[in-house]
Amino acid sequence: MNTQKVKCLIIGSGPAGYTAAIYAGRANLSPLLCEGMQPGGQLTTTTDVENFPGYPDGVAGQSLMDDLRRQAERFGADLQYGTATAADLSAAPYKVTIDESRCVEADTLIIATGATAKYLGLEDEKKYAGMGVSACATCDGFFYRKKVVAVVGGGDTACEEAVYLAGLAAKVYMLVRKPFLRASQIMQERVMKHEKIEILFEHNAVGLYGEDGVEGVHLVKRAGEADETHYDLPIDGFFLAIGHQPNSGIFTPWVETDETGYIITEGNSPRTRVPGVFAAGDVADPHYRQAITAAGSGCKAALEAERYLSAKGLI
Ligand code: NDP
């Protein structure tokens, strides 16, 4: 297998990965950044980012990521397309296999692989994948212009997706399993005030139906243990917005994770229990999960990598 040796390997191309690459590049670590399947990460599937400092009028997610990418390139980061498919962190230099076809040996590793959208686990989600089921409103919303859609979830993501879809669709139902939303106050107000959005509290989706694509959702309304109503709601699109799963799978034999799979780091630092291996961004953050906090932790990880290499006499 083709092997490349680097001082610093960064896996992931969200705000954490690119920020780590900017800092590592400026520190002359000649980082290699493996961009993964979705260069730019989750933010490329968002519309406007309104809370990234420095953009008083907001910025398109894709454009923010393009800028971060160019900034990383400017300082000499080697940005490569590819997905990390296996890892061996038993001893330094750490070995990471990319696309099952090439190997990178790295003195330091920054894991910035982010998190992936969760599904409910219904058979019908697979059956109708690409035929009415989506976990990304900004990617697929266009196909539902003037149609009726449902968004599952009651967090900030669900509210954002619902508002975005309401700009295109004729009607948006939010399916919320609890009698309240979990989202921030500002997002709650936006969805509650929106004339095209109807929130169905205490509703669970239990299946989908349709001939050649989604034509409706089987719902259960639960108000207490005994009070259960089953009914069908005609919809054209079914959007999941129920949170994310951290992409830590290939590293779990070595780094410590919590029960969901979020990588546990030391105190307030990005240090994992493997010396020279750091975790940054959503893969290690079950609490904040913001672009700006991810970028901050990417910065910390690169600074830690530089210190580690320097202490080991590797730079
Ligand atoms: P959250 O974990 O905050 O919310 C998930 C939602 O999905 C909850 O309403 C949850 O219900 C519901 N849910 C989870 N599992 C199921 C299930 N099996 N069936 C039905 N409903 C389910 O995830 P988000 O992705 O919304 O947000 C993640 C983090 O990112 C949050 O901290 C959020 O504030 C932040 N964020 C910030 C944004 C911004 O500031 N612009 C934009 C988007 C996200 P329940 O409440 O019952 O658990």
Side-chain angles (χ1 to χ4, degrees):
M1 198 181 283
N2 192 2
T3 300
Q4 183 176 1
K5 291 194 174 165
V6 294
K7 290 193 198 84
C8 177
L9 171 63
I10 301 162
I11 304 177
S13 58
Y18 284 145
T19 304
I22 293 166
Y23 273 77
R26 289 189 84 241
N28 272 336
L29 305 187
S30 311
L32 166 60
L33 184 146
C34 177
E35 291 193 297
M37 274 192 297
Q38 188 181 29
Q42 284 183 67
L43 276 190
T44 57
T45 64
T46 314
T47 43
D48 279 350
V49 180
E50 294 179 341
N51 49 13
F52 201 89
Y55 296 92
D57 302 318
V59 57
Q62 181 70 57
S63 143
L64 175 61
M65 297 320 296
D66 289 346
D67 284 349
L68 284 173
R69 188 179 197 280
R70 280 199 296 124
Q71 202 172 348
E73 269 184 321
R74 182 181 153 207
F75 295 112
D78 179 6
L79 310 179
Q80 293 189 9
Y81 190 75
T83 303
T85 47
D88 178 358
L89 311 186
S90 53
Y94 304 112
K95 294 168 196 64
V96 177
T97 308
I98 312 292
D99 289 337
E100 287 164 20
S101 59
R102 60 201 167 95
C103 179
V104 179
E105 278 188 19
D107 294 323
T108 58
L109 172 65
I110 297 175
I111 304 168
T113 41
T116 301
K118 277 198 236 167
Y119 285 76
L120 292 171
L122 304 173
E123 271 305 310
D124 288 340
E125 287 170 321
K126 289 185 206 141
K127 181 174 168 191
Y128 295 103
M131 296 161 66
V133 172
S134 168
C136 175
T138 45
C139 314
D140 301 324
F142 178 79
F143 303 112
Y144 299 93
R145 286 161 96 176
K146 302 204 166 68
K147 297 196 170 174
V148 178
V149 298
V151 177
V152 185
D156 278 319
T157 305
C159 293
E160 276 197 349
E161 306 261 280
V163 170
Y164 176 77
L165 287 165
L168 297 160
K171 169 100 188 172
V172 179
Y173 291 101
M174 285 185 76
L175 308 178
V176 181
R177 66 180 174 182
K178 293 217 173 107
F180 53 84
L181 294 172
R182 186 200 285 223
S184 55
Q185 205 55 42
I186 184 168
M187 289 312 295
Q188 294 203 21
E189 280 166 23
R190 274 191 208 170
V191 292
M192 296 217 185
K193 275 193 207 148
H194 205 297
E195 56 182 11
K196 282 199 204 163
I197 301 175
E198 183 176 340
I199 308 174
L200 303 177
F201 288 108
E202 298 181 297
H203 275 71
N204 282 281
V206 290
L208 298 163
Y209 61 90
E211 285 288 320
D212 299 317
V214 171
E215 289 173 16
V217 54
H218 301 302
L219 292 175
V220 180
K221 175 169 168 43
R222 275 193 198 98
E225 288 283 300
D227 186 2
E228 224 181 64
T229 319
H230 291 246
Y231 70 101
D232 290 347
L233 180 72
I235 53 164
D236 305 293
F238 184 74
F239 287 82
L240 283 310
I242 59 167
H244 291 82
Q245 179 67 39
N247 299 319
S248 58
I250 60 169
F251 308 107
T252 48
W254 296 280
V255 299
E256 193 184 351
T257 57
D258 70 8
E259 67 284 356
T260 314
Y262 286 99
I263 297 176
I264 296 174
T265 57
E266 232 176 74
N268 198 19
S269 83
R271 289 190 294 271
T272 69
R273 69 175 168 199
V274 184
V277 176
F278 309 96
D282 284 13
V283 73
D285 179 7
H287 301 296
Y288 303 108
R289 295 177 285 192
Q290 300 300 298
I292 187 64
T293 49
S297 66
C299 157
K300 288 192 206 173
L303 293 175
E304 288 282 349
E306 187 190 357
R307 278 175 205 161
Y308 172 89
L309 289 167
S310 169
K312 291 261 167 204
L314 293 165
I315 49 171

